[in-house]
Amino acid sequence: MNTLFFRNFVSSATLFCLSFILLGSSFLFISRRYFIDEEQARLAVNAEEVVKSAAAFSHEDDLQSWTLRMTISSISRSTGDHIFLCDNTGRIVTCSDMELLCPHIGQSISRDTIETIRTDGQLSLADTLDGFYEESHYIVALPIPGVDKNDDVSGYVFVSTDIASTLSAWDVFFPTFVFISLVVLLISILISLFYSKRLSNPLVALAEAATRFGRGDFSVRVQEEGHYEELDQLTLAFNSMAESLEKSEELRREFIANVSHELKTPMTTISGFADGLLDGTIPPENQDKYLSTISSETKRLSRLVRQMLDLSRLQAGQSNDYLHGSFDICEVLRRTLVNFVDKIESRGLDVNVQVPEYPITVVGDADAIMQVVYNLLDNAVKFALPGSTLDLSLWKQAGKAYVSVRNLGETIPEAELPLLFDRFHKTDRSRSRNRDGVGLGLYIVKTILNNHGENITVTSQNGVTEFVFTLMLR
């Protein structure tokens, strides 16, 4: 049994037991009070009936009538109560006991008790009645109306019952209640045990998965139980986080592997040629050629480091930082295109520029978007067929500015199109025909546009490759 399950079970069981005990105790107290209140109400009703019967005899000044005694004796037998009547001085004149010489007749009730009845109009208490009874009784006393105006009370009716007999029914009920309560408590504990186990299992699985995460294993997933919506949502979020972490870990490893490869190639070339120059393996007449290669690889290494620094800066930036500025996209396109005049002429390319003469203001960072355009034009020039046409277009549509860079070259396979914006991704044609690229240019383009909240698409059919990205109009 795991610790989480044990804690959950103990806490829930303890809380339930305390609640059950409190509820049971309250119920027992209330039920006992109910029995007592019901008994006192019954005594009051019986006392009123006796008062009605006694009132008829009080008019004849005959509370000691044998007929009245038979009447109250009959009521006593049917109800189980003890009944006796006093005159207005408190002396007992008749009793429900059928003994001919009843020991109660002739006794007197205390003056204080009589005064209380006369003043309050009734008496209701649990007492021995100043020693009249050996054990406490529930007692209800009412006055008997007087015969004339001068005497408003002609006597008093006392109806009582033994407390022990009153609570005997409750005493029978109490063990039954306790037994049923214990059964219910046991069933509740078993149910709590079941649900605690059911609730703790997914939490334990989450804890174990988190532990494996801490050890670097991001492949673990937690199975959804389907019992609790909240736990299923937590499990779904946890698995989503696991997938994200696993993907990030794969990208990190791939990034490290790619960086290592990209750094290893030029460094090996530089080291090999430098050693050849130093030990004389390379003849003097070929030294310029190999020095040129060393210079080219050094510049390539420098570009890789610079682009990695740019990428780190872009990834650390906030998207909102790019949304406060605005600039003329037409001017940016023209200025960027000027940088490629020499490369365009060296490859014999024609350029078809379709950019409006009037300014088009867009939201964003001018330098960042210039880098986007530069990287796209650099790719287009690099992979365009010599003597073909390079197209640069700009248009507005539905609150957006659309920039298109299109060239004619080899068709990019459809399966590779979604991979073009991945870090260090290179098609076979770029590796075989050009060693200048390091596979970060389009990834930087995608990162910059993502930071602007914009998108870029690429199509390649029949040798025509086109990149189109959007910017929000100001």
Side-chain angles (χ1 to χ4, degrees):
M1 184 180 292
N2 57 69
T3 303
L4 179 61
F5 163 71
F6 181 75
R7 288 179 180 174
N8 187 34
F9 170 70
V10 170
S11 61
S12 59
T14 301
L15 180 61
F16 180 82
C17 289
L18 290 176
S19 301
F20 191 84
I21 291 173
L22 180 61
L23 181 62
S25 301
S26 301
F27 178 78
L28 289 175
F29 175 78
I30 293 173
S31 64
R32 189 175 187 276
R33 185 71 258 174
Y34 174 79
F35 271 97
I36 295 173
D37 291 345
E38 282 294 306
E39 188 66 13
Q40 289 180 331
R42 186 188 65 80
L43 290 175
V45 171
N46 291 343
E48 290 176 356
E49 293 298 322
V50 174
V51 167
K52 293 178 182 178
S53 299
F57 290 91
S58 67
H59 287 290
E60 300 175 3
D61 197 18
D62 195 11
L63 291 179
Q64 302 180 37
S65 168
W66 183 258
T67 304
L68 177 59
R69 186 174 181 183
M70 293 293 294
T71 301
I72 63 175
S73 295
S74 176
I75 296 175
S76 174
R77 285 194 301 272
S78 63
T79 61
D81 300 332
H82 183 250
I83 305 170
F84 63 87
L85 278 64
C86 300
D87 59 19
N88 54 10
T89 65
R91 186 176 66 87
I92 299 175
V93 295
T94 188
C95 179
S96 62
D97 292 344
M98 289 305 297
E99 300 177 20
L100 185 59
L101 298 175
C102 177
H104 300 136
I105 297 176
Q107 294 187 27
S108 296
I109 303 301
S110 69
R111 175 55 58 181
D112 292 338
T113 301
I114 297 300
E115 286 298 323
T116 300
I117 302 173
R118 181 183 292 273
T119 303
D120 298 339
Q122 64 175 359
L123 177 69
S124 179
L125 76 165
D127 194 21
T128 60
L129 202 60
D130 298 326
F132 182 81
Y133 294 112
E134 293 182 359
E135 297 179 353
S136 292
H137 281 55
Y138 292 120
I139 302 169
V140 172
L142 296 175
I144 303 173
V147 178
D148 53 44
K149 296 180 180 180
N150 296 327
D151 190 3
D152 57 343
V153 175
S154 61
Y156 303 93
V157 172
F158 286 80
V159 180
S160 65
T161 186
D162 186 7
I163 290 180
S165 63
T166 300
L167 295 179
S168 60
W170 187 86
D171 291 338
V172 172
F173 164 78
F174 179 75
T176 305
F177 171 79
V178 172
F179 174 75
I180 295 175
S181 298
L182 290 176
V183 172
V184 172
L185 182 61
L186 179 60
I187 294 175
S188 301
I189 290 176
L190 293 176
I191 293 175
S192 177
L193 181 67
F194 171 74
Y195 278 102
S196 295
K197 182 69 175 176
R198 195 174 185 180
L199 178 64
S200 65
N201 284 341
L203 295 177
V204 171
L206 286 171
E208 292 176 351
T211 301
R212 293 175 63 180
F213 281 177
R215 296 171 183 167
D217 180 9
F218 299 108
S219 63
V220 64
R221 298 293 183 272
V222 180
Q223 184 69 32
E224 292 185 30
E225 297 288 339
H227 301 311
Y228 304 99
E229 182 179 354
E230 294 79 3
L231 283 177
D232 288 342
Q233 291 177 352
L234 177 61
T235 301
L236 183 63
F238 190 89
N239 289 337
S240 177
M241 178 191 70
E243 291 176 3
S244 178
L245 288 174
E246 185 176 26
K247 184 176 180 180
S248 297
E249 179 65 13
E250 290 175 357
L251 291 175
R252 184 187 68 84
R253 292 175 180 173
E254 180 185 355
F255 180 76
I256 292 175
N258 289 332
V259 168
S260 300
H261 173 77
E262 294 294 337
L263 290 175
K264 180 181 179 181
T265 302
M267 291 176 68
T268 301
T269 301
I270 293 171
S271 176
F273 289 165
D275 289 342
L277 290 171
L278 290 173
D279 60 19
T281 303
I282 299 174
E285 62 272 16
N286 292 331
Q287 287 184 359
D288 289 343
K289 172 185 174 181
Y290 288 103
L291 285 172
S292 176
T293 302
I294 290 174
S295 176
S296 176
E297 291 299 317
T298 302
K299 291 177 181 177
R300 181 166 176 260
L301 194 61
S302 177
R303 285 195 299 272
L304 173 62
V305 173
R306 185 178 65 253
Q307 288 192 345
M308 289 176 62
L309 290 174
D310 290 342
L311 182 59
S312 177
R313 176 180 56 83
L314 290 171
Q315 290 177 333
Q318 299 295 326
S319 299
N320 292 335
D321 296 342
Y322 296 99
L323 303 180
H324 297 303
S326 61
F327 60 95
D328 180 10
I329 184 61
C330 300
E331 179 64 21
V332 168
L333 294 179
R334 296 190 192 98
R335 285 167 49 195
T336 308
L337 187 59
V338 170
N339 295 326
F340 291 91
V341 171
D342 293 340
K343 290 184 179 181
I344 290 173
E345 291 178 351
S346 66
R347 296 185 60 81
L349 300 177
D350 291 330
V351 180
N352 178 24
V353 180
Q354 297 181 10
V355 177
E357 295 296 331
Y358 56 86
I360 297 179
T361 304
V362 295
V363 176
D365 183 82
D367 292 337
I369 298 302
M370 179 175 285
Q371 186 172 3
V372 169
V373 178
Y374 185 94
N375 289 356
L376 292 177
L377 286 174
D378 188 47
N379 269 5
V381 172
K382 195 182 301 179
F383 299 116
L385 292 175
S388 63
T389 300
L390 178 69
D391 295 292
L392 178 62
S393 305
L394 171 65
W395 70 92
K396 295 188 297 182
Q397 181 179 337
K400 295 273 190 177
Y402 288 80
V403 178
S404 168
V405 178
R406 182 169 53 188
N407 73 314
L408 178 63
E410 294 182 16
T411 302
I412 303 174
E414 186 175 354
E416 285 204 24
L417 290 178
L419 306 176
L420 291 179
F421 300 100
D422 290 350
R423 287 180 294 191
F424 294 107
H425 177 77
K426 294 183 180 180
T427 60
D428 290 340
R429 62 177 184 146
S430 81
R431 288 188 181 275
S432 61
R433 293 180 51 193
N434 195 297
R435 293 178 54 83
D436 290 340
V438 295
L440 286 175
L442 292 179
Y443 181 74
I444 290 176
V445 167
K446 182 69 173 177
T447 302
I448 291 174
L449 291 174
N450 284 344
N451 287 342
H452 280 75
E454 302 296 341
N455 193 22
I456 184 170
T457 59
V458 57
T459 58
S460 186
Q461 295 179 348
N462 301 323
V464 178
T465 300
E466 182 180 21
F467 289 86
V468 179
F469 69 89
T470 61
L471 291 171
M472 180 69 68
L473 294 172
R474 173 65 73 181

